[in-house]
Amino acid sequence: MAQSQRIAHLHVPADGVDTVLARMRALSADLPPTDGVAVFNRVYLTVTDTIGRAVAAGRSEGFPDRSAAITLDVRFAERYLAAVDAAARGARPPACWRPLLMFRRHPGVRPLQFALAGINAHIGHDLALAVVDTCRTLGCEPEGLEDEFDRVGELLGALEEHIREELMPGPDLLQVADPLTHLLSSWSIERARDAAWAAARALWALRGLPPLAAEFGQRLDTSVGLVSRMLLTPLPD
């Protein structure tokens, strides 16, 4: 049986996206609006809701395999929620999430920085691991998820401009010399997504070599965390 047919016949709970959306809504209700995690959570809630509605629409929205798309979306969201849960219970979250969790109440960090640091952690690290998680769940190769991965990436990219417009603090950002303009111009969702796909393929290729896979995953986590830390550089008013 062809890979796409084999994936399509696996049972994946259709309410998985609703479950993670409910957890994110509960998190939004519990956190102060200015909390850095709350800022990212609002953005991600919008993204996940958009993806969920697109997946529900099926093939007409560019998702040829609904089950694969749901599984990828849910595995993706679960990694973010697990990091927040770990921090809440005093455990050590992945390195990519630590900067946001550490600086979440810093008065010198602007909302747009919080949002992009969270997106960087989630796409740069979590998305690669979510692809591997999904491949293991569905018994497929990463190439079997490429259409779903690309469509999710397109939706994320389409929201990037909306995110920047909504959270931009004012017209001063149009000035080239503004430190936030300079900081944000060095990062993009498209580049992060491309790197995540390459990392997912590498991790999958290394699955038979656990020590190397663990080392690669650790270095990925650390490097993505470094970028998030730079995105959260406190800026003057």
Side-chain angles (χ1 to χ4, degrees), residues 7 9 43 60-61 88 91 120 130-131 139 167 200 206 226 233:
I7 294 174
H9 281 82
V43 170
S60 63
E61 292 293 333
N120 174 68
V131 170
L167 296 177
L206 291 171
L226 178 61
T233 300

Side-chain angles (χ1 to χ4, degrees), residues 20-55:
V20 296
L21 284 171
R23 291 176 66 189
M24 281 186 260
R25 291 187 181 108
L27 193 58
S28 286
D30 290 342
L31 295 175
T34 56
D35 182 290
V37 174
V39 173
F40 168 73
N41 191 76
R42 287 195 296 273
V43 170
Y44 190 39
L45 181 58
T46 300
V47 170
T48 304
D49 184 53
T50 299
I51 293 173
R53 286 186 279 107
V55 170

Side-chain angles (χ1 to χ4, degrees), residues 110 164 168-185 235-237:
R110 302 179 191 179
R164 290 175 184 261
M168 282 289 192
D172 289 345
L173 282 178
L174 298 176
Q175 300 175 10
V176 175
D178 186 275
L180 186 54
T181 301
H182 176 75
L183 187 67
L184 301 181
S185 66
L235 301 173
D237 294 331

Side-chain angles (χ1 to χ4, degrees), residues 119-138:
I119 293 170
N120 174 68
H122 200 37
I123 294 179
H125 175 263
D126 294 353
L127 183 54
L129 272 65
V131 170
V132 174
D133 292 342
T134 302
C135 288
R136 287 175 174 154
T137 298
L138 301 180

